[in-house]
């Protein structure tokens, strides 16, 4: 059987359309974990977050996030200008590719202004950490990342 040009163009168009429909179906099936469920409320509070990040930027040394493979722990180091007993706040750990693994911890640094978080049970890969803390009347905010191996 010999195909003419019209039949070839029709088959090409049909295959292209079927391929596009398959790609649209695949895109719809992907989870949308990076979109927050309460994004509108978070947007309204964003100016406060900017102010808190500005306060953190004025500190003598920045908050540092490190991963220790030997101890299987993540360490958050606060600047020395704080009294460890006056710091209160929240650590937010979140995994960009799976929102179901996100969790929060209270900020409780030791006397050396370091807080160690055991990460042996966490999924390997990139984790973002957001620290919101308060000391006295000032609030602070800092983001960082660690790669757990």
């Amino acid at each position: 059987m010999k195909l003419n040009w019209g039949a070839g163009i029709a088959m090409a168009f049909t295959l292209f359309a079927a391929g596009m429909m398959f790609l649209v179906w695949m895109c719809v099936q992907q989870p949308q974990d990076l979109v927050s469920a309460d994004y509108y409320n978070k947007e309204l509070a964003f100016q406060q977050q900017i102010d808190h990040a500005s306060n953190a930027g004025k500190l003598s040394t920045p908050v540092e996030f490190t991963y220790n493979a030997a101890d299987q722990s993540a360490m958050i180091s606060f600047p020395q200008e704080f009294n460890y007993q006056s710091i209160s706040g929240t650590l937010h750990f979140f995994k960009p590719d799976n929102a179901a693994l996100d969790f929060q911890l209270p900020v409780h640094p030791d006397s050396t202004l370091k807080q160690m978080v055991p990460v042996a049970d966490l999924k390997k890969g990139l984790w973002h950490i957001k620290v919101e803390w308060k000391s006295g009347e000032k609030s602070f905010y800092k983001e960082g990342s660690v790669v757990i191996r």
Side-chain angles (χ1 to χ4, degrees):
M1 178 173 165
K2 187 173 181 180
L3 293 177
N4 61 21
W5 281 97
I9 290 172
M11 277 197 327
F13 179 73
T14 304
L15 287 174
F16 176 77
M20 286 295 113
M21 290 176 72
F22 176 73
L23 289 175
V24 167
W25 178 79
M26 289 291 290
C27 290
V28 171
Q29 299 301 317
Q30 293 299 313
Q32 309 231 344
D33 289 339
L34 296 179
V35 177
S36 176
D38 59 343
Y39 69 92
Y40 184 73
N41 293 332
K42 287 185 178 183
E43 182 66 30
L44 293 176
F46 190 60
Q47 184 59 46
Q48 283 184 330
Q49 182 178 337
I50 292 171
D51 295 340
H52 298 166
S54 175
N55 289 342
K58 295 175 187 173
L59 296 172
S60 61
T61 57
V63 172
E64 294 178 354
F65 304 93
T66 54
Y67 168 68
N68 187 339
D71 293 344
Q72 286 291 299
S73 65
M75 185 171 18
I76 296 91
S77 302
F78 293 92
Q80 295 298 320
E81 58 203 67
F82 291 112
N83 176 354
Y84 75 96
Q85 295 171 331
S86 70
I87 296 176
S88 63
T90 309
L91 293 169
H92 304 269
F93 280 75
F94 70 98
K95 187 101 173 83
D97 60 346
N98 190 347
L101 300 176
D102 298 356
F103 65 96
Q104 294 182 11
L105 297 170
V107 172
H108 288 298
D110 60 15
S111 60
T112 63
L113 292 169
K114 296 181 189 312
Q115 181 167 351
M116 293 185 68
V117 178
V119 295
D121 295 336
L122 298 183
K123 185 177 177 187
K124 309 293 185 224
L126 177 68
W127 285 83
H128 293 294
I129 305 170
K130 294 180 182 179
V131 182
E132 299 174 25
W133 78 98
K134 188 172 184 176
S135 181
E137 294 299 314
K138 273 194 159 180
S139 296
F140 303 89
Y141 176 81
K142 180 72 176 173
E143 292 183 14
S145 300
V146 293
V147 177
I148 298 175
R149 298 183 179 120

